Every structure is written in structure tokens, then in C-alpha cells.
Amino acid sequence: MNALSLNNIEVIYDHVFLAIKGVSVEVPDGGMVALLGANGAGKSTTLKAISGLLKAERGLVTRGDVKYRDQDLAHLPPQQRVKLGIAQVLEGRRVFEHLTSDENLIAASAVHGSRADMARNMERVYGYFPRLYERRTAMSGYLSGGEQQMLAIARALMTQPKLLMLDEPSLGLAPVIVEEIFSIIRRINQEEKMSILLVEQNAIAALDVVSHGYLIENGRVVMHDAAESLKKNPDIQEFYLGGHEGKDFNNIKHYRRRKRWLA
Ligand code: ATP
């Protein structure tokens, strides 16, 4: 069974702006999949269609369906989706900066359950992030960018999700920290059989940890394949792995001409 299947969804903001134009994505149970693409391609919008956060931004899924383990999510509010086991780590390391890591984790955990349950859950989560554990009583505003990203992920883990969605966890972080965070995400996927949907502009790092990737451009999936095949694809290599995307207009024009997937 798939943990998640998006079938031909369309998303409109403010009743007029068509941001997603028929996207289909599947995340197998226990699988790890990446959504890749440049700024504004529609990656975050796709995640919000799944977590239910679109409504707050005047966005609406106007076509297609979003299914979590065969259950249609269309009419469920975000909190119900969290209860089902869906968690989204938003872009930009949102943590309560004036609270410590401990307090951030407590604030993120479900209100039901005993103190002992919460302590066990915190221990499990800190097990993935020893660095955070060491600084558990420091105010999180003073943590490094990488540590704040870890805390944002740790907060999502406190809800004990079965499907974890991460929006650009590598943003603004040094390669060595990105590697550390991605290897932790991989561990969580393997040890807990948690299904993971990873949104990234950093295709190099993402394709090293996922098994399958979808490339989104202008609200459409323009390519999807096994990560190993995507890494070998000449277009992906040149424009997403080469690190010169968007830097040279000639390259962009060349890219537009060569883009076989739109042909
Ligand atoms: P980024 O990496 O920059 O976050 P993205 O691939 O996640 O890019 P989205 O944020 O999903 O892209 O944006 C897709 C399109 O929808 C963009 O054209 C964006 O301007 C538009 N958009 C996003 N959020 C809103 C909103 N709340 N209201 C109106 N338009 C929006």
C-alpha cells in the first residue's frame, strides 16, 4: 500500500492563481521520496495540500485527490491529519526561539498521554539528535542554524508521525551539516519505517538519500524516476547537480532547448 498518493491534483490560490496543475506523486509505505525543483515550482504548495495548511493561505485543492493510506483527506482539517500520522516540517526552521529545546519538544507533543509517555517520546527523539540533547536547556534562539533545523524536525517527531514531510531542510546550511541532517533523516526512515517526503532544491544531497525523485516545474511534474537514474540523467546533471542553475542566461536558454522531458 502507498502511504501517500496524490492523484492529478490542482491547487488554486485566491480563486485565481493556478499554482499546481495536475500533480501526481506516490510515496510507498516506509519509502523515502524527494520533490525537487527550483524556487516557485510548487513544492511547498504540494506539501500544504497534503498537510491541510493551504486553507490558511487562501489556497484550495480544486481537482484530484490526496489519499493517505487509501483514505481521502479532502475534508479533514490539519489537526485531524496530524492525528492520522501526517507531520510537516515547514520551511525556515520554525521553532519557539524564546523557549529551550526541552520546552519546544514539550509544546509540540500531543496533549493526551502521561508524563512517562512524554518522557519516553522525548528520549526517543533526542536519541536521533545528541547535539540537541547536549544543549537541551539552552534557549533555542541561541542554537546554530543546523541545530534549529534539527529542533524543527524533532518537534515534528514528537507527534509520532507515520508520514513525515520536510520542506527544504538544507536551506542555508553548510554541506557538512546538510549531510549530518540527511543521514539522521535516513536513519529515522530505516529504523522506524517512517515514510518520508522530502522537498529540496539541493538535488545533490536529496538524491543521495531517497529512492525516488519527482522533478516539479511550473506546477507540473516534468520527470520522475529512481534516484539512481535521475542522478545519471544529463539534464539533471547539468542543471540541478552542476550548481550553475540560474547563474547564466545562456545556460538557461540552452536548458530550455535541451529539456527533453517537455518535448
Ligand atoms: P520555494 O522553494 O521558493 O518555496 P516552491 O517550489 O515551494 O518554491 P511554492 O511556494 O509552492 O513553490 O509556490 C508555487 C507558486 O504559488 C508560486 O508562483 C508562488 O508565488 C505561488 N504561491 C505560493 N503561496 C502562495 C499564496 N499563499 N498565495 C498566492 N500565491 C502563492
Side-chain angles (χ1 to χ4, degrees), residues 13-14 17 19 38-45 57 91 168 201:
Y13 283 112
D14 290 318
F17 182 71
N39 267 328
K43 306 178 300 298
S44 304
T45 302
E57 300 192 18
E91 190 178 325
E168 294 210 33
Q201 286 193 46

Side-chain angles (χ1 to χ4, degrees), residues 12 16 19 21 31 36 44-45 60 69 92 99 104-105 111-112 136 147 166 179 202 214 225 227 232 261:
I12 297 184
V16 287
K21 305 158 187 168
L36 309 169
S44 304
T45 302
L60 200 62
R69 295 169 164 247
L99 299 182
N104 263 284
L105 295 194
V111 273
H112 54 82
R136 59 191 299 176
E147 288 162 349
L166 301 138
E179 210 172 292
N202 185 343
Y214 289 76
D225 210 337
K232 287 185 205 134
W261 56 78

Side-chain angles (χ1 to χ4, degrees), residues 87-133:
Q88 178 178 358
V89 181
L90 293 167
E91 190 178 325
R93 312 167 198 151
R94 315 242 183 129
V95 297
F96 294 120
E97 295 192 352
H98 57 290
L99 299 182
T100 66
S101 296
D102 270 356
E103 289 162 345
N104 263 284
L105 295 194
I106 291 167
S109 61
V111 273
H112 54 82
S114 65
R115 266 173 174 274
D117 285 343
M118 177 144 67
R120 257 195 305 277
N121 201 12
M122 277 174 82
E123 199 179 305
R124 162 189 148 263
V125 170
Y126 273 133
Y128 291 113
F129 302 102
R131 224 183 220 269
L132 274 189
Y133 183 77

Side-chain angles (χ1 to χ4, degrees), residues 2-11 20-28 33-35 42-52 54 61 63-74 81 86 163 165 197 199 214 216 219-221 224:
N2 280 327
L4 176 78
S5 43
L6 298 184
N7 180 22
N8 207 17
I9 65 161
E10 186 177 272
V11 174
I20 298 290
K21 305 158 187 168
V23 161
S24 297
V25 169
E26 289 183 350
V27 181
V33 168
L35 287 186
K43 306 178 300 298
S44 304
T45 302
T46 304
L47 290 196
K48 287 174 191 165
I50 303 161
S51 60
L54 273 181
V61 177
R63 208 182 66 190
D65 44 41
V66 180
K67 285 190 176 160
Y68 171 68
R69 295 169 164 247
D70 286 343
Q71 178 175 356
D72 194 336
L73 298 180
R81 300 185 197 204
I86 302 173
L163 169 67
M165 302 190 289
L197 181 57
V199 156
Y214 289 76
I216 300 197
R220 288 196 170 86
V221 173
H224 68 98

Side-chain angles (χ1 to χ4, degrees), residues 229-253:
S229 311
L230 286 178
K231 275 199 264 184
K232 287 185 205 134
N233 182 292
D235 293 323
I236 296 267
Q237 278 185 355
E238 187 172 355
F239 295 97
Y240 288 90
L241 303 180
H244 53 233
E245 185 203 351
K247 281 189 189 148
D248 176 344
F249 185 63
N250 285 325
N251 273 342
I252 304 246
K253 277 208 305 206

